[in-house]
Amino acid sequence: MAATVRIHRAGPGYALDEPGTFLGSGFFIAPNWVLTCAHVVRSGEGNEVRVVYERGPGRGTSAVAGEVATVLPDRAGLPARGTWPSPDLALVRLREPVDHDCAYVTERPAAYYEEGVVLYSGWSVVGGELRRLSGTCTVQGTLGGWSDDEQIRLGGDVLPPGVSGGPVVDPVRGEVVGVLKSRTDRGLGGTCTGVEQLRSLPVPAEETAAEHDDPYHAVFHAHDRYHRDRQRHPGTDRSTWADVQNQLGARPGRALSPEERTQLLGRLADLPPAASTRALLGLLESLLGDQAAIPHPAPRGWRDGLGALYESSRQDAALDLVLDYAMRAMSAERPFVTPGTRAAERALWEWVRQTAEGRPGPAYRRRLGQQWIERLQLAPRGPSAAEAEAAHGTAHGAGRAPRLFVLLELEQLGWEPGRCDWHVSVGQADRRGRAAA
């Protein structure tokens, strides 16, 4: 609810509560990114909209300018009004950073429900005033089926005008699974689009040199870092997504706790993406063999591959399968590297090492340690002495005491003024106390 926003026409002089400028709903999917419907933003003028959001419980609303970054499908040159074909999605990028909550978005394909109940949130004009509302709908199957225009059919509630673009939530898993698209002209319900349809965003024609060259990776990497960092550095008294999941109780058979899940996704988001969809599919097939159930649209990011593991194996994937996946992601071919890539690999290894402690067994942990040593030996710049010593100790259970130093790196969090993310790395000094290469 806190992440749900209103989309308004852009332009000066409008009051925040002016129903005449109201276009529809949306929600924060990542810091400074809003997901909504294409037909909502195309009802305005040009590529500019205003996003009205709540600054926090009891703190009132604010407005910020937004730019329509991309729409699906691209209907450039067509009339602004009228029925918009599926998937009918749009990403809006804020013109300036603001403090806000972000919804938690599933890694799983969402469009294959048979029966169930979902929650929705949105805004509408009620009695001449803009009011936020929520409700429940029943899933009644799909429309389109195994194609880019597939939609989830909803029933059981009247969807008022204006809620299009709002989030649809699976209450069992506590995750946003879709975006409200349409309502029926008569009767109850309507349709929604699964968030996995964002995977059909165009792939950049040229080789990418950074994650921001591809909007899909830019948005979901920012999403996963946000939820990881909220867990590390809670800036308010409000509960995080993982906190709420813990209060509700983990579902039996879940391989990862909510905290482990957010930490893993956040560390995967620090890596460059997979070199290609084909490379990611090959990695999944090497892990799953004949069990591999390739979702549609095909996975594009590391989080998508993790969701495919859940769908292809029982009990949310066995822990060793998740750890093996993380190790493969750590050593995969990169479309590009950044100054932080080595640190991201080390951080992911530390998560794997700590998560594997006590499970699934000493032989498996030794194999993981050996894989990390091999990764260090293949790294372009070679491992530092401290990294090799630490990995050797993990693989063989040996404890050593090299002369080490600790480096603390601070990185300002753009969406949390006054707060920093941090990384700790260990190096080894030479005999004169100088840092060794």
Side-chain angles (χ1 to χ4, degrees):
M1 294 285 283
T4 303
V5 303
R6 303 197 310 257
I7 309 294
H8 285 250
R9 288 188 177 89
Y14 292 126
L16 295 185
D17 57 354
E18 174 55 55
T21 67
F22 174 59
L23 300 175
S25 303
F27 61 96
F28 283 115
I29 187 175
N32 306 314
W33 286 93
V34 170
L35 179 59
T36 183
C37 286
H39 77 262
V40 169
V41 295
R42 286 306 189 213
S43 296
E45 295 87 18
N47 284 333
E48 299 290 328
V49 295
R50 283 204 311 169
V51 175
V52 179
Y53 67 99
E54 291 194 342
R55 293 172 293 172
R59 295 173 57 192
T61 57
S62 294
V64 61
E67 172 194 17
V68 180
T70 186
V71 296
L72 282 173
D74 186 2
R75 293 279 300 270
L78 295 181
R81 298 187 180 275
T83 302
W84 198 280
S86 294
D88 192 9
L89 296 174
L91 286 169
V92 175
R93 180 172 45 225
L94 301 190
R95 290 292 193 184
E96 59 184 86
V98 297
D99 184 22
H100 59 77
D101 289 320
C102 294
Y104 187 90
V105 178
T106 185
E107 310 96 88
R108 303 164 180 260
Y112 310 128
Y113 290 102
E114 294 181 357
E115 294 180 359
V117 175
V118 292
L119 313 177
Y120 71 87
S121 175
W123 290 82
S124 185
V125 179
V126 181
E129 296 182 354
L130 286 164
R131 302 286 296 273
R132 188 172 63 179
L133 48 83
S134 62
T136 61
C137 285
T138 57
V139 176
Q140 298 184 332
T142 60
L143 178 67
W146 294 98
S147 62
D148 291 341
D149 64 350
E150 183 175 50
Q151 301 171 54
I152 303 172
R153 295 190 297 114
L154 304 175
D157 196 5
V158 175
L159 298 176
V163 297
S164 291
V168 176
V169 179
D170 174 1
V172 175
R173 305 183 195 275
E175 306 163 358
V176 173
V177 297
V179 180
L180 282 173
K181 171 174 167 53
S182 65
R183 62 191 184 96
T184 56
D185 293 333
R186 299 180 181 84
L188 305 178
T191 65
C192 81
T193 301
V195 290
E196 74 275 6
Q197 294 297 333
L198 282 174
R199 299 176 189 175
S200 59
L201 282 168
V203 177
E206 298 181 359
E207 226 176 274
T208 59
E211 71 179 27
H212 60 71
D213 293 334
D214 188 328
Y216 183 83
H217 294 308
V219 167
F220 278 108
H221 283 192
H223 170 278
D224 290 334
R225 290 169 186 153
Y226 167 86
H227 286 284
R228 174 199 62 192
D229 294 342
R230 278 287 308 279
Q231 200 65 30
R232 286 177 175 174
H233 317 294
T236 69
D237 294 333
R238 298 196 298 275
S239 297
T240 66
W241 176 83
D243 293 335
V244 174
Q245 297 305 302
N246 283 330
Q247 293 164 11
L248 295 174
R251 192 161 52 84
R254 180 167 288 175
L256 298 176
S257 70
E259 290 93 342
E260 288 173 334
R261 190 170 162 196
T262 56
Q263 292 302 309
L264 172 57
L265 286 169
R267 284 167 168 78
L268 288 171
D270 284 338
L271 295 176
S276 65
T277 294
R278 181 63 259 172
L280 182 54
L281 291 174
L283 188 156
L284 290 171
E285 290 167 357
S286 70
L287 288 173
L288 297 168
D290 295 338
Q291 288 183 308
I294 304 305
H296 183 83
R300 286 182 59 174
W302 298 123
R303 73 181 335 260
D304 307 335
L306 190 61
L309 290 185
Y310 297 152
E311 294 300 318
S312 299
S313 58
R314 297 180 181 179
Q315 299 184 344
D316 279 359
L319 179 62
D320 57 348
L321 191 61
V322 173
L323 298 179
D324 285 342
Y325 178 76
M327 294 298 293
R328 300 287 181 90
M330 194 187 307
S331 58
E333 181 185 353
R334 310 279 186 225
F336 57 85
V337 294
T338 69
T341 298
R342 283 289 300 278
E345 293 172 358
R346 289 195 300 269
L348 181 55
W349 161 246
E350 281 302 311
W351 181 90
V352 169
R353 184 184 62 79
Q354 294 172 17
T355 305
E357 288 180 355
R359 50 180 186 162
Y364 180 77
R365 293 197 299 275
R366 283 195 296 272
R367 179 165 67 84
L368 290 180
Q370 187 59 42
Q371 288 176 0
W372 175 239
I373 291 174
E374 293 170 358
R375 172 60 185 156
L376 292 176
Q377 291 170 343
L378 292 173
R381 289 179 294 174
S384 70
E387 289 173 326
E389 285 288 340
H392 186 81
T394 300
H396 299 285
R400 308 218 175 175
R403 299 176 61 196
L404 305 177
F405 67 88
V406 177
L407 177 66
L408 174 64
E409 300 173 80
L410 300 178
E411 178 183 353
Q412 179 71 45
L413 297 179
W415 59 92
E416 291 187 80
R419 293 184 176 274
C420 295
D421 199 354
W422 55 271
H423 302 278
V424 174
S425 56
V426 179
Q428 186 174 14
D430 63 17
R431 284 187 245 179
R432 297 184 181 180
R434 296 175 301 190

